[in-house]
Amino acid sequence: MAEVLEQPEGTFVTKEQNVNPWSVSGEVNEDGTVKPIDYSKLVEQFGTKLIDEALLERFERVTGHKPHRFLRRQIVFSHRDLEVILDRFEKKEPFFIYTGRGPSSNIMHIGHMVPFQLTKWLSDVFQVPVIIMLTDDEKYLISDHGRTVNEYEVYAQENAKDIIAVGFDPERTFIFSDFGYMGGDFYRNIARIAKRINRGTADACFGFDSSTNIGKVHFAAVQAASSFAGSFPFMFGPDSNQIPCLIPCAIDQDPYFRLTRDVASQLKYAKPSLIHARFLDALQGPGSKMSASIESSCILARDNPKTIMTKINQYAFSGGRETLEEHREKGGNPDVDVSYQYLRFFLESDEELEQIRQDYKSGKLLTGEIKKKCAGELATFCTSFQERRAKVTDQILEHFMTPRPLLCRGALSNTLLPSVQGKSGASKGPVQDVKDPNSKSQAKKMKKLEEANAKKALKAREKEAKSIATATAGVAALSVAENTAVGEDTVTSTSSLT
Ligand code: TRP
């Protein structure tokens, strides 16, 4: 919950809504109540666009897949240039997906899972490579004194296993920690970016002041650098900064990418596109987000069904009435009811969700009943997550964290851009940041090159597939298990529904 300061007279200090990468709190009223986060205000403030029906229809038309429930229910509510990605998908031009996690502890809660569930689903729909950044450096830089670099590196490894257990495809996904991967073309891009962001811009964007440590200021360039394909030369090649990415993230990460998009224009790199998710409310109610360090605020991915039921019963803010009679007569308020809100995130069936909403509003469904339904859904989610997590070995982790070509729509990503290799197959050396990725001729050229390489890619893939299959036998088995277990998040094709 947002901190509310009580003054001696019993009145409260009012506070404006505040959403930034390090803290999230709703507006605080004079009477001390915390309001739900106003997401439309954020869209206005950040200058993003709402995801509307027309865009969702286009998504479905272009991909042939019914949008994920997060998209259908405005949980993923805002975007920047999603159309650019849909255009590329339509034209069969390469792109990748980039997301990340700050490993602040070795515990992940169900709110942390939301962007990863979305990312996994998108990568299955688009069949493009996924880059997952673990910002162990960022979390160390903002930690209390006394914490060590090594602690955050260990958290990164543990978190990576949790993320793998969401069900990512081992042939399409690269996970890295900043401490582990720093250097090479990644660091070259970081330096190019850092050079183009001045203190004034960073201060205005993030609220830094003279007490902010310089590592935190510089980190903005690190998070930005993964938006550019050239930071991962094994993927599309070192000369690939014009290949754009789609970044699924929670809305609080937008400031990083606003800066990134500005710098991309200066460098003539492809601007990243974004889709933004809202937060999963803390158990205490709207106006705050779950925090893994406050156990009573969240459901942990590792919680068992009994703990989940107890937490929901004890802490989940209720939109129900004081007494049974009053509830039956006037009905509950699903908009503030935490159990209903969690069902919106985790219950797949739109029809069932709507029935629950109506029954709760009319008073037919009681608080205890909606809590039970919610705890049951979360228990199913957490249990199947834990089953998959138990299968993630150190060997599988190592595979995901090894730089290697990734599959992009069935072809090996490093065969898609022949310009990178040149005729001799040798790298052309450092990029000179001059091509405009948005020009038509560039797009045409890319398409041609891509087609010319389709055959080559397939051959190469067959050959590679053999060795990958041997190296990741365990991962492949896991992936099959995941796709069965993660049922609600596997891709549903429109055509199979009609
Ligand atoms: N800074 C993010 C966090 O603290 C981690 C992160 C890095 C990220 N890159 C990202 C999140 C890209 C979303 C998208 O959690």
Side-chain angles (χ1 to χ4, degrees), residues 76 83 102 125 140 152 170 173 184 205 212 225 231-232 335 361-362:
V76 174
E83 302 93 341
V125 166
Y140 169 70
Y152 290 92
T173 313
C205 190
T212 307
S231 299
F232 311 99
D335 295 335
K361 263 189 116 167
S362 73

Side-chain angles (χ1 to χ4, degrees), residues 293-314:
S293 55
I294 308 169
E295 267 257 7
S296 62
S297 80
C298 62
I299 305 291
L300 304 178
R302 63 172 69 154
D303 281 343
N304 64 35
K306 200 169 153 238
T307 309
I308 294 172
M309 189 71 239
T310 310
K311 281 189 181 175
I312 297 280
N313 272 337
Q314 253 178 345

Side-chain angles (χ1 to χ4, degrees), residues 98-102 133 135 138-139 223 247-249 253 256-257:
Y98 157 42
T99 194
R101 147 125 185 113
M133 170 190 236
T135 58
E138 176 192 26
K139 292 297 152 178
Q223 178 147 335
I247 308 178
C249 62
Q253 297 297 308
Y256 281 116
F257 301 117

Side-chain angles (χ1 to χ4, degrees), residues 406-420:
L406 303 168
L407 285 188
C408 182
R409 303 186 85 168
L412 277 173
S413 58
N414 63 341
T415 62
L416 293 177
L417 267 196
S419 58
V420 170

